[in-house]
Amino acid sequence: MKLNILFEDKDILVVEKPAGMESQTAKSFEPDMVSEIKKHINNISTKKEQPYVGVIHRLDKPVGGVMVYAKSQSMAEALSRQVSGHQMEKIYYAVVCGKPVENFATYVDYLWKDGKNNCSKIVEKGIKGAKPAELDYWVVDYRVLDGKELSLLKIRLKTGRHHQIRVQMAGHGTPLWGDRKYNPEFQGFLSKEHVALFASGLTFTHPLTKKSMSFSIKPQNGIFSHFSFGDVF
C-alpha cells in the first residue's frame, strides 16, 4: 500500500490510516500501520537497524483518519504526555442514525470496558473500573436517505476511552451508521462499508520545535458522500 503521509521529519510522522487497518502491530497476517510505516522508513533510510515506530494514540480498526507516530522513544514519551494531559486536540466526523435533541451539546458519561467481549458500556459513576468520558458535538447536516433520518456530526473528543464515540452516541439514542457492534440495526449485517466515523483533525505541539501542528482531512467516501460539510470543515 502507499501511505498518505501528511508530514514527516526525523522525529515524527503524520499519516492517514485507512479504514479497515489496525493502527498498531496486528497479530494477524493482515497489513497494519506500524509495519507499513517501518517499511516506508526502511525505504528512505540508509540505516540497517530496525526503525522505531511509537504508537501515540489509536483508532479502531474500522475507523480511518489522521494519526501521528513517533520515530524515537523520547518523541513518543513527549507526545504521549500531550495525550494524557489533554493537550492533543482530536476532531472527528460521524454519521449517526436519527437526529440529536440539541444541535450542539456536551456528553459526559462513565464508561466501563468489557475486555472479554471487546466492548464498552455506559454505567453509573462509582462502578469499579468506570472512567469518565467527555465529548462535544455539533450537528453539521441532516438528510433522509431511503426513508432513514441521518445526521452528520462534528465531534471534539476530550477523553480517549475505548470505543468512546461509538458507545456514547449509541447510549444517547443516535448510534453510528454501519456500526455492527453498537447499532442494533446493523448487527449481523454483512457489509463492506465501515462504521461512519472518521478522525478528521489532529492538533498537537511538535516536541522538538515547539510549533503547533494542525492537520485535517475531509471524509469523502461511503455514507459521508451524501452530506454537505459547508464551511465548518
Side-chain angles (χ1 to χ4, degrees):
M1 62 166 287
K2 180 176 176 59
L3 291 173
N4 180 19
I5 297 173
L6 307 180
F7 176 84
E8 182 178 14
D9 63 11
K10 63 182 181 63
D11 301 301
I12 64 173
L13 183 144
V14 182
V15 64
E16 178 185 1
K17 182 188 92 69
M21 181 177 286
E22 296 284 1
S23 55
Q24 56 190 341
T25 303
K27 297 179 181 179
S28 65
F29 293 103
E30 296 179 3
D32 63 80
M33 289 301 294
V34 171
S35 299
E36 294 302 317
I37 291 171
K38 285 183 177 180
K39 290 178 186 177
H40 164 73
I41 294 175
N42 280 329
N43 287 336
I44 63 174
S45 175
T46 57
K47 297 180 180 180
K48 294 183 178 180
E49 66 265 22
Q50 183 77 345
Y52 178 93
V53 177
V55 179
I56 310 304
H57 56 121
R58 294 165 178 80
L59 292 176
D60 297 343
K61 183 177 179 180
V63 179
V66 185
M67 298 191 70
V68 59
Y69 290 86
K71 291 186 176 182
S72 68
Q73 186 171 344
S74 61
M75 290 296 106
E77 291 172 350
L79 287 170
S80 295
R81 285 194 293 270
Q82 292 186 42
V83 174
S84 60
H86 306 294
Q87 298 168 330
M88 187 175 288
E89 184 179 73
K90 302 173 185 177
I91 299 295
Y92 291 76
Y93 280 92
V95 176
V96 301
C97 296
K99 190 176 188 295
V101 176
E102 304 290 340
N103 286 327
F104 166 77
T106 298
Y107 287 161
V108 180
D109 299 291
Y110 280 82
L111 302 190
W112 176 77
K113 181 180 177 180
D114 181 353
K116 182 178 179 180
N117 295 305
N118 189 33
C119 66
S120 290
K121 302 175 182 178
I122 294 178
V123 297
E124 296 292 331
K125 181 180 179 180
I127 296 294
K128 184 179 180 180
K131 296 181 179 180
E134 184 175 354
L135 60 78
D136 298 328
Y137 77 80
W138 299 260
V139 177
V140 177
D141 194 16
Y142 170 80
R143 291 280 190 273
V144 177
L145 299 176
D146 297 327
K148 298 181 183 297
E149 292 185 308
L150 301 175
S151 300
L152 173 67
L153 306 185
K154 180 179 181 179
I155 298 168
R156 179 192 292 125
L157 198 61
K158 293 185 175 181
T159 54
R161 306 306 178 198
H162 179 255
H163 293 173
Q164 180 180 335
I165 294 175
R166 298 164 67 184
V167 176
Q168 286 191 279
M169 287 300 156
H172 288 269
T174 53
L176 268 64
W177 170 267
D179 194 341
R180 294 191 288 272
K181 186 176 288 285
Y182 298 103
N183 189 341
E185 183 179 347
F186 288 88
Q187 289 175 356
F189 180 73
L190 297 178
S191 171
K192 292 183 178 181
E193 187 164 343
H194 297 286
V195 59
L197 181 62
F198 190 84
S200 182
L202 184 67
T203 301
F204 59 92
T205 300
H206 193 294
L208 193 63
T209 67
K210 305 304 179 184
K211 291 182 179 180
S212 177
M213 312 283 288
S214 186
F215 304 90
S216 61
I217 302 176
K218 182 179 179 180
Q220 298 177 342
N221 299 325
I223 195 69
F224 287 107
S225 64
H226 294 279
F227 292 86
S228 171
F229 290 79
D231 57 0
V232 300
F233 184 77

